[in-house]
Every structure is written in C-alpha cells, then in structure tokens.
C-alpha cells in the first residue's frame, strides 16, 4: 500500500510524467489541473506528431541562468532513459535526423499512454481545480482550491509557463512559486515569430523559402541557422527563426537593435555564387529581369528583391547596369530585415525565464527554500531549442522531482 502522498499542481507533460514516476515509486498521487482536461498543450507539440526527445542532447541546446544545473539533470536523465520510460508505458519510438517521435506519429498516443498508466497506477486526476493558495504545514502542505482542501507530504509544481495560453498556460505557477519563497526571472516568449518592418516584407506573407538566417544585435553577429523561413503577416516565422528568437527577444527587452540577414543561397560560397550568376547571365541574359530569377527564387520573392534594388523589371538582363546586377545578386545572399519586435505568448511555443534554477537542487529538483517542495518543467528558468529539447526537459525534470518526492514523508490524515 502507498505510504506517501504526493500532490502535483499541473497536468501537462511534466505533471503527467511526474505522476507516473511517483506512483511507480509507491506514492499515493493526486494531480490538480485547472483546465477542463490534462495534456492539452502536449497534443499540439511537433505539429501533432510529438517530437519528444532528441538523440543529440547537451546543455548547450538550452538557455538558462544556471546551465550547470541543466547539465546535471540531463546527465541523470539522458535520451536513453527517456526512451525507456516511454517504451515501458507503450510508446515505441521512431527516429528521423536525431528527432524521436512515437511510431504512431501521433501526439495523442503519447498522452493516451501517460493517462492509461496513471489509471493503472491509481493516480487521481482532478480537472477544473483552481488552486488558490498553498500553505506549508508541519507534515507537508495544505492546498486550498475551489474543490476544497488537499493535503500532501510532498508538493510538485508542474504548472508550466505562459506560452500558448489557449492550452491553459496562464503563468499561475509563478505566483505559487513566488508565494513559497522563490525568485522569478522575468518570463518572455521563446520559440516564437519575430515582427519586422512592414515595408521590406510587403506582399510576401504566406511565402516559404530555404535560407540561412543570421541574427545581428547592435550590428554584431549573435547567432545563425539554416532552414525554412516563413514570411507571415508582419514578420518572419519558421523553425530557423524560432531557434534564434530567445536571443532576439532578450535583445528587444534590453532595447537593443535587432536585424535578421537572410541568405537565399546558403549552400553556396560567395565565389560559387558569383560564378553561378555569371554563367546564368551568359545563358539567360536575353530574359527580362523579372523573368530571369524565376526558377531560382519564388516569383514573389524575386520581384521584391528587384524592387528593393530599384531596378527596372522589364529590361533584359544584358542591358542592366553591371553594378546594379552585382548589388542585386549580393542581396540574394544578404537580404537585411530590421526587426521591430516579437509576437506575444499567444504565438510562442515555450516560455523563457521562470523560477531561478539556482534555488533548486538539480539532483532532486527540490526547492532549497522550502523542503518538500519540488519544481519541474517549463515553470523553471530553462528553455530549449526546437527538436524535442523542451519536452525532454519536462520529462527529465519531472522524473527527478517525482522520484525524490515519492520517498518523502508519510500520508497525512
């Protein structure tokens, strides 16, 4: 029979992984979720396919004010351990380019297996339960909610952050953590689209292009990546932009100047590009400029580049000024977009910032401020790149917290 009671506030990815882990360790577990159902955000991960971990795992794939703590958690819970956890509850993995997905290709399958295991382990899940206050008591914690009072020996906060509030992430966990003595590093959107000065992108919304993207902050290179860029109304999106968004948003908060430079021929060196264009001019110089780049670039993008260069689109290439052509060709590899801001939490995939990780024991995820309190997942000041890193952090930190929480104390009356 269970002899320890663990309460988990939050029924997202971290909360459910914590529930399964604590119940397996013999604890009596109750999950308090303020939404009408658990795991809502999990269903949307990986475009509904749930990229739940990655073969290449290291602390440098994460942002945090305490990277050493992140590294400790990852050492305790590497990719192999996460894969084993999910295989043990019925999720078989498939890998593509190092990204792990459920073999079914469905995020819903991951949620279903977690819930099935919770049911098998007699985990009590209470939805529509709004926690109003948490009070430390001599034997644990008293939790006041709209559904009455709960008592527990160990408390796990797995409340998530503020990203994608439509899925239930409302930042309430920060309030609870602060009330229990923790410091909060200012949360901000990460893995999010960035806003741009409208003039440069006018008419390009909906277009996708393969490009190298370099982030410049106050004129200095701050990061770069290669992948698909999505032109959206008022800005730029896509995984390649998401990967750079943490540093970009941080720079905006510090009132710094942010610029993205797009290279639409990222596989070519400058010399290769020059030779390629010279050959194309010789072969296709009879074409009007507006037609000359079609077949190489998306038509909308090519016409925008011509417009930016101030060149006559209906004049054959052989008649164009050589210096103007050189400038246009340079722009295809260095299209500069001054950024004006970022989209809010409603369009972000994760939250950056959160509970200061220096206040947490990374071996157990127990609070250094409040014995018996454990914190995990997106609530903490940890956010990762795209590629399953944020879900891996949710699982790893939750499993560490639950393993420790399950072995503390005994049931309250």
């Amino acid at each position: 029979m269970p002899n320890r009671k663990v309460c988990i506030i939050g029924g997202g990815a971290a909360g459910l992984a914590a529930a399964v882990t604590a119940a397996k360790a013999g604890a009596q577990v109750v999950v308090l979720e303020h939404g009408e159902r658990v795991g809502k955000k999990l269903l949307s991960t990986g475009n509904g396919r749930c990229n739940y971990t990655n073969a290449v795992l290291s602390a440098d794939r994460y942002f945090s004010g305490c990277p050493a703590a992140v590294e400790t958690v990852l050492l305790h819970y590497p990719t192999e351990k996460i894969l084993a956890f999910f295989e043990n509850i019925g999720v078989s993995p498939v890998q593509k380019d190092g990204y792990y997905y459920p073999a079914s290709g469905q995020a819903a399958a991951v949620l279903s297996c977690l819930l099935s295991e919770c049911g098998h382990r007699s985990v009590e899940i209470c939805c529509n339960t709004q926690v109003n206050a948490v009070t430390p008591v001599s034997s644990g914690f008293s939790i006041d909610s709209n559904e009455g009072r709960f008592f527990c020996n160990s408390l796990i906060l797995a409340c998530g952050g503020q990203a994608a509030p439509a899925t239930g992430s409302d930042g309430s966990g920060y309030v609870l953590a602060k009330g229990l003595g923790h410091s909060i590093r200012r949360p901000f959107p990460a893995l999010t689209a960035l806003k741009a000065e409208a003039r440069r992108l006018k008419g390009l919304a909906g277009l996708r292009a393969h490009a190298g993207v370099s982030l410049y902050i106050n004129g200095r290179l701050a990061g770069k990546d290669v992948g698909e860029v999505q032109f959206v109304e008022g800005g730029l999106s896509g995984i390649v932009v998401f990967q750079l968004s943490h540093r970009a948003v941080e720079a905006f908060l510090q009132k710094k100047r942010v610029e993205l430079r797009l290279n639409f021929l990222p596989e070519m060196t400058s010399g290769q590009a020059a030779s390629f264009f010279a050959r194309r001019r010789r072969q296709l110089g009879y074409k009007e400029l507006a037609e000359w780049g079609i077949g190489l670039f998306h038509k909308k993008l090519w016409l925008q580049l011509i417009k930016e260069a101030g060149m006559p689109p209906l004049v054959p290439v052989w008649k164009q000024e050589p210096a103007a052509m050189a400038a246009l060709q340079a722009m295809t590899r260095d299209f500069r977009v001054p950024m004006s801001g970022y989209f809010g939490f409603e369009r972000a995939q994760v939250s950056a910032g959160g509970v200061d990780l220096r206040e947490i024991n990374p071996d157990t995820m127990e609070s250094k401020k409040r014995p018996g309190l454990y914190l995990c997942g997106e609530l903490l000041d940890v956010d990762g790149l795209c590629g399953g890193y944020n879900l891996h952090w949710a699982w790893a930190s939750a499993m560490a917290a639950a393993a420790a929480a399950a072995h503390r104390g005994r049931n309250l009356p």
Side-chain angles (χ1 to χ4, degrees), residues 84-222:
F85 171 86
F86 280 100
E87 287 206 79
N88 286 337
I89 65 171
V91 180
S92 294
V94 292
Q95 189 215 121
K96 182 178 180 181
D97 300 326
Y99 291 32
Y100 281 98
Y101 300 88
S104 66
Q106 294 178 297
V110 177
L111 177 58
S112 180
C113 288
L114 285 166
L115 290 176
S116 176
E117 192 68 17
C118 282
H120 175 65
R121 302 282 175 180
S122 301
V123 172
E124 181 182 4
I125 296 178
C126 303
C127 293
N128 295 310
T129 303
Q130 184 69 48
V131 172
N132 301 318
V134 175
T135 306
V137 294
S138 58
S139 51
F141 298 88
S142 170
I143 303 167
D144 178 61
S145 80
N146 63 318
E147 293 294 329
R149 193 173 296 276
F150 297 83
F151 296 92
C152 60
N153 308 118
S154 302
L155 174 63
I156 300 176
L157 295 185
C159 314
Q162 287 181 261
T167 64
S169 301
D170 62 359
S172 58
Y174 302 136
V175 177
L176 294 176
K178 191 171 182 179
L180 291 166
H182 280 280
S183 305
I184 310 297
R185 298 191 74 192
R186 179 181 177 178
F188 59 87
L191 298 187
T192 189
L194 300 175
K195 294 182 179 180
E197 294 182 3
R199 180 185 64 82
R200 298 229 70 184
L201 305 182
K202 189 175 181 180
L204 297 180
L207 185 151
R208 296 168 182 254
H210 181 69
V213 180
S214 299
L215 169 68
Y216 280 78
I217 297 174
N218 283 349
R220 300 185 66 178
L221 180 65

Side-chain angles (χ1 to χ4, degrees), residues 151-389:
F151 296 92
C152 60
N153 308 118
S154 302
L155 174 63
I156 300 176
L157 295 185
C159 314
Q162 287 181 261
T167 64
S169 301
D170 62 359
S172 58
Y174 302 136
V175 177
L176 294 176
K178 191 171 182 179
L180 291 166
H182 280 280
S183 305
I184 310 297
R185 298 191 74 192
R186 179 181 177 178
F188 59 87
L191 298 187
T192 189
L194 300 175
K195 294 182 179 180
E197 294 182 3
R199 180 185 64 82
R200 298 229 70 184
L201 305 182
K202 189 175 181 180
L204 297 180
L207 185 151
R208 296 168 182 254
H210 181 69
V213 180
S214 299
L215 169 68
Y216 280 78
I217 297 174
N218 283 349
R220 300 185 66 178
L221 180 65
K224 58 183 179 179
D225 205 348
V226 178
E228 184 181 77
V229 176
Q230 297 177 24
F231 293 81
V232 297
E233 196 65 45
L236 294 171
S237 187
I239 290 178
V240 67
V241 175
F242 287 178
Q243 302 288 49
L244 300 169
S245 62
H246 179 109
R247 289 190 177 94
V249 176
E250 206 168 39
F252 281 122
L253 294 174
Q254 296 168 0
K255 309 297 184 185
K256 294 180 179 179
R257 181 167 47 87
V258 177
E259 180 182 65
L260 291 185
R261 300 182 185 180
L262 280 56
N263 176 1
F264 297 110
L265 297 170
E267 277 73 39
M268 294 185 187
T269 65
S270 59
Q272 289 170 337
S275 297
F276 173 78
F277 280 119
R279 184 170 63 252
R280 192 176 179 90
R281 282 197 302 275
R282 289 193 300 270
Q283 293 173 344
L284 303 172
Y286 62 88
K287 289 192 174 189
E288 293 178 349
L289 184 59
E291 295 180 335
W292 187 77
I294 295 174
L296 178 59
F297 303 106
H298 190 287
K299 182 177 181 179
K300 285 185 177 180
L301 175 60
W302 179 240
L303 292 177
Q304 181 66 20
L305 291 171
I306 293 172
K307 184 178 178 180
E308 289 286 328
M311 297 175 69
L314 303 182
V315 174
V317 168
W318 71 271
K319 288 186 176 181
Q320 300 283 350
E321 290 291 334
M325 283 299 297
L328 174 61
Q329 291 158 21
M331 192 185 299
T332 66
R333 303 187 68 253
D334 187 21
F335 183 65
R336 302 187 180 192
V337 184
M339 309 309 292
S340 58
Y342 54 93
F343 293 93
F345 283 111
E346 69 281 356
R347 291 180 57 171
Q349 291 189 6
V350 297
S351 304
V355 176
D356 193 333
L357 206 55
R358 293 173 297 182
E359 300 172 355
I360 308 297
N361 180 343
D363 293 310
T364 61
M365 305 312 292
E366 186 174 18
S367 165
K368 295 177 181 178
K369 303 279 187 176
R370 187 73 62 181
L373 173 66
Y374 302 82
L375 301 93
C376 61
E378 196 176 338
L379 178 64
L380 295 163
D381 174 32
V382 182
D383 62 290
L385 298 174
C386 294
Y389 296 108

